[in-house]
Amino acid sequence: MATSSTTSTVPSIADRFDRARRDIDRALRIAGRPPGATTLTAVSKTRADAEIEAALAAGQRVFGENRVQEAQRRWAGRRDVAGLELRLIGPLQTNKAADALALFDVIETLDRDRLADALARAADGAGRAPRVLVQVNTGEEEQKAGVAPRQADALIAHARSLGLAVEGLMAIPPAAEEPAPHFALLARIAARNGLETLSMGMSGDFETAIRFGATHVRLGTALFGPREA
Ligand SMILES: *Cc1c(COP(=O)(O)O)cnc(C)c1O
């Protein structure tokens, strides 16, 4: 009965991962894209140790985090898990570029020339080049990070001139708008710059993102349940 809510009605994290993987596979099939063409990034920000362990036990290896220090606390002791890939999906301050480079495999939020400069300097110091995505503010929202769409080509060119390996683009569409035009815009900017990776789509809109070519969808609540503020 709906009123006698018990833990048996709450799906486990393993169940949620199964379900998300099936949903991704189905969206790929509908889009006529090959199986495996979209990678599931599990957004583990704010999650407790037990939830991380459950995700790892479910076979998940690609995780997204939005703060450098929080991610250091959560992942430092787990950095040697085989196949683990950590992706930074939140804004990065230039003074944290070296810390981010040390922890993350991929930085998805390059959004300005000065950050590209800082990452290139940090890469020189570390002797290791970061893999990066350029974040595009497709809705040109003032409060949101990301380069404006019309400035994206110049930022990509600048990052490449510094020797940074730009793999693709990332975007977070405005919450109150239809996401499809934003996904389409991101795909167009990627295509004209010869970029393959498209990180777009979250729990509420990942199937649409897959239709528009997402290679990475970033799911938090669909996998772990609601976040506590
Ligand atoms: C938190 C976050 C997500 C996950 O959002 P859900 O709606 O919980 O799936 C995805 N991308 C970014 C950049 C985030 O900060």
Side-chain angles (χ1 to χ4, degrees):
M1 284 174 57
T3 48
S4 66
S5 123
T6 66
T7 51
S8 68
T9 63
V10 177
S12 70
I13 285 179
D15 291 341
R16 289 175 183 272
F17 272 87
D18 277 350
R19 165 137 206 208
R21 289 172 183 141
R22 278 201 307 274
D23 289 346
I24 289 169
D25 287 347
R26 194 187 49 232
L28 282 168
R29 243 184 350 263
I30 292 169
R33 299 178 59 202
T38 301
T39 298
L40 170 59
T41 300
V43 178
S44 49
K45 66 187 182 196
T46 78
R47 303 299 174 176
D49 266 5
E51 296 174 287
I52 304 300
E53 289 305 322
L56 290 168
Q60 183 65 27
R61 289 297 179 271
V62 181
F63 292 88
E65 287 280 351
N66 68 343
R67 291 164 185 263
V68 176
Q69 273 162 321
E70 183 190 330
Q72 282 170 334
R73 283 196 299 277
R74 188 169 294 112
W75 291 102
R78 299 187 170 98
R79 204 60 194 84
D80 56 355
V81 169
L84 185 70
E85 180 176 291
L86 295 184
R87 307 176 69 95
L88 178 65
I89 60 171
L92 178 58
Q93 296 171 266
T94 51
N95 64 5
K96 299 236 176 72
D99 288 346
L101 181 61
L103 181 67
F104 289 98
D105 299 290
V106 181
I107 292 168
E108 297 201 4
T109 50
L110 173 59
D111 65 354
R112 58 203 189 277
D113 284 351
R114 282 170 47 90
L115 181 56
D117 299 341
L119 285 169
R121 269 197 310 278
D124 277 346
R128 175 169 111 83
R131 299 161 54 198
V132 302
L133 307 188
V134 165
Q135 181 179 358
V136 182
N137 186 356
T138 58
E140 307 205 41
E141 295 172 281
E142 238 161 66
Q143 80 286 4
K144 198 166 274 175
V147 66
R150 68 187 170 283
Q151 286 157 7
D153 295 4
L155 175 57
I156 293 162
H158 178 69
R160 284 174 165 162
S161 76
L162 298 169
L164 294 175
V166 182
E167 295 186 345
L169 304 179
M170 179 271 218
I172 310 167
E177 286 180 33
E178 190 61 47
H182 296 274
F183 297 147
L185 172 59
L186 199 70
R188 279 200 307 279
I189 299 171
R192 71 176 182 235
N193 285 282
L195 295 169
E196 310 258 311
T197 299
L198 284 172
S199 172
M200 56 189 198
M202 318 202 313
S203 294
D205 56 16
F206 68 96
E207 282 147 318
T208 305
I210 288 171
R211 187 147 53 83
F212 283 88
T215 62
H216 291 71
V217 290
R218 308 178 308 266
L219 305 192
T221 51
L223 300 173
F224 298 107
R227 273 182 299 276
E228 289 157 34

